[in-house]
Amino acid sequence: MSAVIIDGKAVAAEVKADVAEKVRKLNEKGVEPCLAVVLVGNNPASVSYVTGKRKALLEAGMVDRSIELPESISEGELLSEIDRLNKDPSVHGILVQLPLPKHISEEKITNAIVPEKDVDGFHPVSMGNLLSGKKGFIPCTPHGILVLLEKAGIETNGKRAVVIGRSNIVGKPMAVLLSRKEYNATVTLCHTGTKDIAEITRQADIIVVASGHPGTLTADMVKEGAAVIDVGVNRIPDSSKKSGFRLVGDADFESIKEKASFITPVPGGVGPMTIAMLIYNTLEAAENLAGVQA
């Protein structure tokens, strides 16, 4: 067998088109959804991510209120900037691009964004809502994975799911979401302290790998017919590429695709969904704050 390769670009394009249509409807009601993306310093990866987010905003017809700040900015000055955005009624969503310079506490900055504008879904209130099943912003990458599973027709009800990686951004929220009643999977969360991971993954119907290390998941760890969602984005030196590197995931794509029923590629799988769900969350924030539905 050969796996169905889930086209994240195509699904993301659907989500973006739907959001753009709703933005037009909100515009007719006098609401202009607006996201402020705050970039501190000029980390090349962060600059690239921010560029992608700004492009998606413009394509959706949203207002881009991006702010670029020097790496030397103090923690207090950055907190003041966030306070200003919190109080600005024309700004519906705030996203601070991580990582931040070492002299600034990421936790303090994340916690300073009011939950109503926390479109990344990282605030403790957003995390609390996620855990208790209340309505709130879902972190973009796990949210995008749920949409991919639904669009691909991958059944989660009663299935065994394994999540590899326990980050607050992907692993933990992913495990919580899959265990919710509407998805109803039995979830095991694996991490660097897990012994015999292969023994656990071989029992899984669905594997979400988000370890941040290439080759974490290999074909011998996957049972025949499992669905594999690869969140990893790793740069591997490759002299044949103009950039000098190629992107690979955390899963060994070539060998696993001969064994799995579904698999996401890297690039072009989960990545495009993260930005699509960011503009989806921004739309939701605009609707909530304006008290108007598209």
Side-chain angles (χ1 to χ4, degrees):
M1 71 181 292
S2 190
V4 172
I5 296 169
I6 301 171
D7 188 345
K9 283 184 185 173
V11 179
E14 278 182 49
V15 173
K16 288 176 179 177
D18 184 51
V19 169
E21 181 57 37
K22 287 179 176 170
V23 168
R24 280 192 286 275
K25 289 178 181 173
L26 281 184
N27 287 165
E28 288 167 9
K29 297 176 181 180
V31 179
E32 294 188 322
C34 170
L35 175 65
V37 180
V38 180
L39 175 65
V40 180
N42 55 4
N43 175 305
S46 293
V47 170
S48 173
Y49 290 139
V50 167
T51 302
K53 288 166 183 174
R54 296 183 72 177
K55 183 171 178 274
L57 279 177
L58 293 174
E59 285 172 357
M62 292 181 169
V63 178
D64 171 16
R65 192 74 62 79
S66 294
I67 298 163
E68 294 179 14
L69 300 167
E71 193 161 344
S72 59
I73 192 170
S74 72
E75 187 176 88
E77 287 169 326
L78 182 54
L79 286 168
S80 296
E81 192 64 46
I82 289 167
D83 185 54
R84 184 181 67 78
L85 294 169
N86 281 337
K87 290 172 178 171
D88 186 339
S90 69
V91 173
H92 301 109
I94 304 168
L95 181 154
V96 178
Q97 184 64 45
L98 303 178
L100 290 169
K102 287 187 168 56
H103 65 279
I104 298 173
S105 162
E106 290 185 358
E107 186 181 0
K108 266 191 194 174
I109 300 306
T110 301
N111 292 0
I113 298 168
V114 291
E116 297 80 17
K117 298 187 181 187
D118 171 39
V119 289
D120 248 343
F122 296 163
H123 192 282
V125 169
S126 301
M127 287 292 187
N129 286 336
L130 180 79
L131 195 60
S132 59
K134 291 179 183 169
K135 193 166 167 54
F137 295 116
I138 298 172
C140 301
T141 301
H143 198 174
I145 291 168
L146 291 178
V147 174
L148 285 180
L149 292 173
E150 287 168 16
K151 292 283 185 183
I154 297 168
E155 182 61 69
T156 57
N157 186 34
K159 300 297 182 182
R160 286 188 172 189
V162 169
V163 178
I164 304 175
R166 56 181 161 187
S167 73
N168 291 335
I169 295 170
V170 181
K172 286 179 191 169
M174 193 74 247
V176 170
L177 288 163
L178 284 170
S179 66
R180 275 187 178 179
K181 276 193 176 176
E182 59 263 43
Y183 298 102
N184 225 23
T186 300
V187 186
T188 303
L189 181 63
C190 296
H191 44 73
T192 50
T194 306
K195 290 176 180 166
D196 299 324
I197 283 188
E199 193 180 317
I200 298 166
T201 55
R202 278 194 286 265
Q203 297 175 48
D205 303 299
I206 299 163
I207 303 171
V208 179
V209 56
S211 62
H213 299 285
T216 296
L217 189 72
T218 51
D220 62 307
M221 299 169 71
V222 179
K223 80 171 181 182
E224 204 77 41
V228 175
I229 307 295
D230 190 350
V231 184
V233 182
N234 306 289
R235 292 184 176 198
I236 301 289
D238 187 340
S239 57
S240 70
K241 301 285 183 185
K242 191 178 175 183
S243 60
F245 65 85
R246 60 191 165 89
L247 295 178
V248 300
D250 294 343
D252 182 5
F253 180 84
E254 290 303 324
S255 63
I256 292 172
K257 75 173 185 185
E258 300 306 321
K259 204 171 180 186
S261 58
F262 292 90
I263 190 167
T264 57
V266 177
V270 174
M273 293 303 297
T274 300
I275 290 182
M277 301 324 292
L278 172 66
I279 62 166
Y280 176 93
N281 281 356
T282 302
L283 172 75
E284 205 169 74
E287 288 179 329
N288 292 344
L289 288 165
V292 175
Q293 294 297 303

